[in-house]
Amino acid sequence: MSQRSCLSVILAAGEGTRMKSAQPKVLHQIAGLPMVAHVVKAAEAAGASGLALVIGHGADEMRKAAARFAPKAETFEQEKRLGTAHAVIAARAAISRGYDDVLVMFGDTPLIDADALTVARRRLAEGAAVVVIGFRPPNPAGYGRLIERDGKLTAIREEKDCSEEEKKIGFCNAGMMAVAGAHALKLLDAVGNENAKGEYYLTDIVEIASAQNLDVVATEASFESALGINNRAELAQAEAIWQQRRRHDAMLSGVTLIAPETVFFSHDTEIGADTIVEPNVWFGPGVRIASGAKIHAFSHIEGATIASNCDVGPFARLRPGADLRNKAKVGNFCEVKQAVIEDGAKVNHLTYIGDARVGAGANIGAGTITCNYDGYSKFFTDIGEGAFIGSNSSLVAPVTIGNGGYIASGSVITESVPDDALAFGRARQKTIPGKGKELRERFASAAAAKKKAAGADH
Ligand code: UD1
Ligand code: MG
């Protein structure tokens, strides 16, 4: 089949009123990626080399977004929404280029898996002219019904045009179709709009093709993979299904999730075998984890690279550019941004490391802050190999702590510290014998005098 060329036409012109959003429906995200981008990924995974995106509502925003998530896609604007067949025809220029297979997909059906598309393409390769992807929703109301005779599909009837008898059919149109490129335009151009909604229905090509004795069949996909998104409740439902699939894949690839239902992945999370993820962990986009890491509970991680055998959290926040090398440790209530934590370095408690390098084996004490920002610009802190930063120190960037540098706790470090030097950035301690007792007595007698005076007033 791989030698058959394939164009995917993705319909995404609709407004999506029920999302109640200023943003086009198909740009709402699942796992941090617009739903229409999930559809593009599935099309590509099923072998589509051509991508035609039919846009309409929010066309400018759609074009801008498409340039990011599908730079190879051509966009076609459907000026008036006159129905799904009319929408496919908007991509006429792409279709007429002569692909073997044309996959018609919906931008609001983000969980469609490549397998369902591959099965449909296989039926085209076997000689079918039209392959409709069907499914059996728990409640078929609102879907087009698949009308079959002798194993062939003869028609798809939209709910509004169904007889009472036809409404009882549970096998429904998921919306997606594979059409032989040789017939596609001829079939589409024959579609009229004499129906309850006065629209040009893509589904009519089934009847048209079977009347021409072309081979028309239905395949069956799971309900989940055909789920269409119309409102935010369905968006959340799709997110939940996506997350469930991803957790399952992660576990089968060797990742331990102690409470899988509480771990949230991004569309691009890479996570190696023998990583253990404790409950309540969030992965934003751009996270790569090698093998054997431990991600403790309640950590929030995005744009971070985590090498082998690192230890993160609990309650760690790794922001974009956090780059943890082998066996590095970032502990509780620490935030790391745009910083390399080199091999075996430890950032254990209540610390902010931003725009910095922490050298191999360095130890960052509790409450250390890299003061990287003056309200206008960001500055770099360089901490050498094996350095020791005492607790509650502020490192005012730009500043360098040399290899083996030793910072006394509570220091405010404003000047660079050479290798192996000890730096105190605080006032020296003064101890006065007996002064504590004297102060206590003085304060006690003052308080007693005040109380007595207040009593005399009454
Ligand atoms: C469609 C199918 C129905 C199927 C259901 C599955 C048709 C006629 N009906 O109905 O059989 O059971 O999907 O969810 O195909 N679009 C455009 N331009 C248009 C019209 C639609 O781009 O002029 C896009 C929409 O943005 C959407 C997709 O096509 O992504 C489907 O349109 P929609 O109006 O949701 O069709 P349904 O009534 O759900
Ligand atoms: Mg729909």
Side-chain angles (χ1 to χ4, degrees):
M1 188 172 81
S2 55
Q3 60 272 34
R4 289 175 67 92
S5 62
C6 178
L7 168 73
S8 165
V9 179
I10 299 173
L11 307 190
E15 187 174 349
T17 337
R18 283 174 282 168
M19 291 299 279
K20 301 207 167 40
S21 174
Q23 184 177 229
K25 170 165 83 173
V26 296
L27 294 184
H28 284 264
Q29 297 187 341
I30 288 172
L33 190 72
M35 55 174 121
V36 60
H38 286 269
V39 177
V40 167
K41 270 183 148 181
E44 285 178 332
S49 56
L51 287 172
L53 196 57
V54 178
I55 58 174
H57 180 78
D60 289 340
E61 211 178 331
M62 285 292 298
R63 262 190 220 100
K64 264 188 226 141
R68 283 195 308 272
F69 67 74
K72 279 187 278 173
E74 285 176 87
T75 51
F76 296 92
E77 193 162 345
Q78 184 197 18
E79 308 261 332
K80 279 192 193 147
R81 256 71 80 205
L82 300 181
T84 43
H86 183 258
V88 179
I89 289 174
R92 183 187 295 277
I95 300 169
S96 59
R97 225 174 278 141
Y99 289 87
D100 295 312
D101 300 348
V102 177
L103 280 175
V104 178
M105 300 168 73
F106 290 174
D108 63 358
T109 307
L111 299 178
I112 184 66
D113 52 81
D115 286 353
L117 302 171
T118 303
V119 168
R121 288 194 63 200
R122 194 172 304 136
R123 298 299 293 270
L124 289 186
E126 288 164 7
V130 177
V131 184
V132 173
I133 298 179
F135 74 136
R136 294 180 193 277
N139 175 10
Y143 291 106
R145 306 299 204 282
L146 301 188
I147 299 177
E148 288 178 299
R149 201 184 316 125
D150 306 328
K152 300 286 174 202
L153 190 63
T154 54
I156 303 178
R157 197 90 70 231
E158 290 307 295
E159 166 107 358
K160 283 190 176 150
D161 301 302
C162 275
S163 66
E164 284 311 310
E165 210 46 44
E166 286 166 342
K167 276 187 190 160
K168 290 183 192 147
I169 298 171
F171 194 26
C172 296
N173 177 23
M176 290 146 289
M177 287 189 194
V179 186
H183 300 289
L185 281 175
K186 248 182 292 158
L187 292 172
L188 289 162
D189 283 331
V191 172
N193 64 349
E194 300 82 36
N195 51 53
K197 278 169 98 180
E199 285 189 1
Y200 294 88
Y201 287 163
L202 170 65
T203 44
D204 283 357
I205 68 169
V206 167
E207 249 173 307
I208 297 167
S210 30
Q212 296 174 13
N213 283 322
L214 293 169
D215 198 16
V216 184
V217 294
T219 57
E220 187 169 339
S222 69
F223 168 64
E224 293 189 342
S225 67
L227 185 69
I229 309 305
N230 294 303
N231 56 44
R232 307 220 188 205
E234 286 164 353
L235 184 69
Q237 194 185 354
E239 176 81 38
I241 294 167
W242 189 95
Q243 292 293 344
Q244 215 169 9
R245 286 180 180 174
R246 183 67 187 86
R247 291 167 189 142
H248 188 74
D249 290 349
M251 291 187 281
L252 293 195
S253 72
V255 177
T256 295
L257 304 180
I258 294 173
E261 65 284 5
T262 68
V263 175
F264 293 84
F265 291 102
S266 194
H267 64 98
D268 60 353
T269 308
E270 292 175 27
I271 182 162
D274 283 328
T275 296
I276 297 176
V277 184
E278 289 183 358
N280 296 298
V281 172
W282 171 271
F283 295 103
V287 174
R288 273 189 297 142
I289 302 179
S291 57
K294 263 197 184 140
I295 312 295
H296 298 281
F298 294 100
S299 294
H300 189 285
I301 301 172
E302 59 186 321
T305 306
I306 299 173
S308 293
N309 304 311
C310 286
D311 211 278
V312 174
F315 296 97
R317 176 154 189 225
L318 302 184
R319 290 172 52 204
D323 180 357
L324 278 52
R325 304 284 165 83
N326 291 333
K327 291 193 177 169
K329 190 161 188 287
V330 174
N332 40 273
F333 306 105
C334 292
E335 175 178 341
V336 176
K337 183 218 74 167
Q338 203 59 50
V340 182
I341 313 295
E342 293 184 343
D343 293 16
K346 291 183 186 146
V347 181
N348 272 340
H349 331 269
L350 299 148
T351 285
Y352 173 61
I353 301 289
D355 303 304
R357 173 185 78 105
V358 175
N363 191 311
I364 309 295
T368 298
I369 305 291
T370 52
C371 309
N372 61 326
Y373 186 48
D374 60 6
Y376 298 92
S377 310
K378 303 281 169 66
F379 301 93
F380 192 73
T381 299
D382 192 51
I383 299 172
E385 224 170 86
F388 182 92
I389 312 296
S391 293
N392 201 29
S393 292
S394 301
L395 309 176
V396 183
V399 72
T400 296
I401 313 297
N403 295 335
Y406 201 108
I407 307 300
S409 66
S411 291
V412 177
I413 298 295
T414 54
E415 288 163 22
S416 289
V417 175
D419 291 359
D420 294 319
L422 167 65
F424 284 87
R426 54 169 152 91
R428 264 200 177 283
Q429 179 175 327
K430 196 172 167 188
T431 307
I432 308 169
K435 189 76 179 173
K437 191 172 178 229
E438 183 198 311
L439 270 183
R440 209 177 291 121
E441 284 166 2
R442 184 158 24 109
F443 293 158
S445 65
K450 205 173 160 193
K451 203 171 168 190
K452 202 173 164 196
D457 281 348
H458 291 292

